[in-house]
Amino acid sequence: MNIQFWGVRGSLPTPLSAQQVRAKIFAALHRISVKDLESDETKEQFIDSLPWWISGTVGGNTPCVEITLKSGAHLVFDAGSGMRVMGKLSEPPADKHYHLFMSHFHWDHIQGLPFFDSAYNPTVIFEIYSPFRDMKEYLAKQMVAPYYPVDFSAIQNHFNFHCIEPGQVLKIGGAEISCVKMSHPGDSYSYSVVEDGHKFVYATDIELGSKDFVHTDDRSKIFSEADAILIDSQYTVEEALRKVNWGHSAFCYAIDFAAAWKIKKMFMFHHEPTYDDRKLNTILESAKWYANYISGDSLEIDIAREGVSVEL
């Protein structure tokens, strides 16, 4: 399976500010030499040598992750503002069929759907899956006057809604998809996708607690020995202690969780909107140190960045 990150920011879209762009330029200038300016080739090489937090960005769009299966089926997890980017930069599935799985319906996870180009193409079919029985109503409510000029009724004929239950196994394009309920205000659901023996877990908007480390059958099915997990790592510990019951986790709690479930690779996700790329890189380095301290080289840590893809 190919996993594409279209939106990785939490809570609300967060574009780069002028001050942040200026800071990146300043950091690059500190590293440049006369030799780097000799030709267009050396300039390109210099840019390529810069750390990602200077030459790139994690991105500012809210959650949307696309999985392309070997069969060609497209699974999409959440419809944050990253979904708009997906509509601009990717081709629709060959069969013109999207399978959209919703973790929950807070605004940052649904706001991209009205701006997704294919939503207005009647030949493209959307299968929407969620344990929330009122999912159609929730999506429709953001597309009403005066908040949006196009009513959901204009597109609903090519949207099909499927209420699923935790523990249920869906089979799509050779993959098996299951979900489990997690702690978050109003509830949120994590999903696992298993294809050809490889397991990927999408675990956004979760506030980890002791019960999440208990090896029950439902949680083992989702998390145990996954090849990769994309997990809510929004806070530092200090912030997590100040924001109890806000529904998000500290990065070190996420690492403890991934290690406890013997997961091979963890991607930090749902990034705090007030964190710039430099701070996120500092957190990533701390996360790598902590993961090595508690698990050696058994757990690999990375940070989810918009536009990056992963192959399992």
Side-chain angles (χ1 to χ4, degrees):
M1 70 182 84
N2 179 268
I3 304 151
Q4 180 79 43
F5 304 142
W6 293 112
V8 299
R9 186 71 67 166
S11 303
L12 76 165
T14 312
L16 284 171
S17 68
Q19 291 84 356
Q20 289 169 349
V21 173
R22 182 182 177 90
K24 287 177 181 289
I25 295 172
F26 193 74
L29 290 175
H30 265 287
R31 289 164 169 78
I32 203 165
S33 68
V34 174
K35 187 176 180 180
D36 295 322
L37 300 173
E38 288 179 351
S39 66
D40 288 345
E41 182 180 357
T42 59
K43 292 172 187 175
E44 289 281 356
Q45 290 172 349
F46 169 72
I47 292 171
D48 291 340
S49 73
L50 291 170
W52 70 265
W53 61 270
I54 297 177
S55 62
T57 179
V58 300
N61 282 296
T62 58
C64 182
V65 175
E66 182 182 26
I67 295 178
T68 304
L69 302 175
K70 286 185 177 180
S71 65
H74 285 231
L75 314 180
V76 180
F77 291 85
D78 283 335
S81 64
M83 195 176 196
R84 183 194 69 84
V85 181
M86 185 177 84
K88 301 297 182 186
L89 300 182
S90 70
E91 293 295 325
D95 64 356
K96 295 188 176 181
H97 217 123
Y98 283 104
H99 300 270
L100 174 59
F101 293 84
M102 302 300 301
S103 65
H104 63 309
F105 290 85
H106 285 168
W107 197 12
D108 54 323
H109 293 258
I110 67 172
Q111 61 193 172
L113 182 60
F115 300 94
F116 185 51
D117 293 345
S118 292
Y120 302 91
N121 183 343
T123 68
V124 177
I125 305 301
F126 291 82
E127 308 290 347
I128 316 294
Y129 306 88
S130 169
F132 292 87
R133 296 190 178 278
D134 295 327
M135 64 187 100
K136 180 178 179 180
E137 177 186 352
Y138 297 155
L139 291 177
K141 279 184 174 180
Q142 68 170 336
M143 295 179 65
V144 295
Y147 309 112
Y148 195 74
V150 181
D151 193 86
F152 186 73
S153 61
I155 63 174
Q156 66 180 359
N157 288 343
H158 57 116
F159 281 72
N160 302 314
F161 293 87
H162 309 272
C163 188
I164 58 177
E165 298 291 338
Q168 179 181 350
V169 178
L170 293 175
K171 295 185 178 181
I172 300 172
E176 295 185 347
I177 302 97
S178 304
C179 71
V180 65
K181 184 164 71 172
M182 306 297 287
S183 294
H184 188 71
D187 294 333
S188 181
Y189 291 82
S190 294
Y191 290 89
S192 67
V193 180
V194 180
E195 182 189 43
D196 290 346
H198 296 292
K199 183 194 291 186
F200 171 76
V201 177
Y202 179 80
T204 188
D205 291 64
I206 58 177
E207 186 164 2
L208 293 168
S210 58
K211 69 180 185 302
D212 297 304
F213 293 78
V214 178
H215 284 235
T216 58
D217 288 343
D218 57 343
R219 294 189 188 279
S220 293
K221 181 179 180 181
I222 301 296
F223 301 113
S224 185
E225 299 183 2
D227 293 279
I229 185 170
L230 187 67
I231 187 168
D232 185 329
S233 312
Q234 184 162 344
Y235 298 142
T236 61
V237 173
E238 186 272 334
E239 277 194 309
L241 292 174
R242 286 192 291 108
K243 297 179 178 180
V244 174
N245 297 324
W246 283 41
H248 302 287
S249 294
F251 71 88
C252 58
Y253 300 165
I255 292 169
D256 290 337
F257 179 82
W261 286 103
K262 298 182 179 179
I263 295 170
K264 298 178 182 67
K265 186 165 185 175
M266 182 189 114
F267 289 91
M268 298 162 60
F269 182 66
H270 205 272
H271 309 310
E272 166 63 35
T274 62
Y275 292 173
D276 63 13
D277 291 307
R278 184 168 189 167
K279 179 162 185 175
L280 286 170
N281 182 66
T282 300
I283 291 173
L284 173 60
E285 294 303 315
S286 297
K288 288 179 177 179
W289 177 90
Y290 182 66
N292 183 67
Y293 175 75
I294 66 168
S295 65
D297 59 0
S298 63
L299 174 62
E300 184 181 354
I301 303 295
D302 205 343
I303 190 166
R305 290 185 283 152
E306 192 174 312
V308 170
S309 64
V310 177
E311 195 77 31
L312 284 187

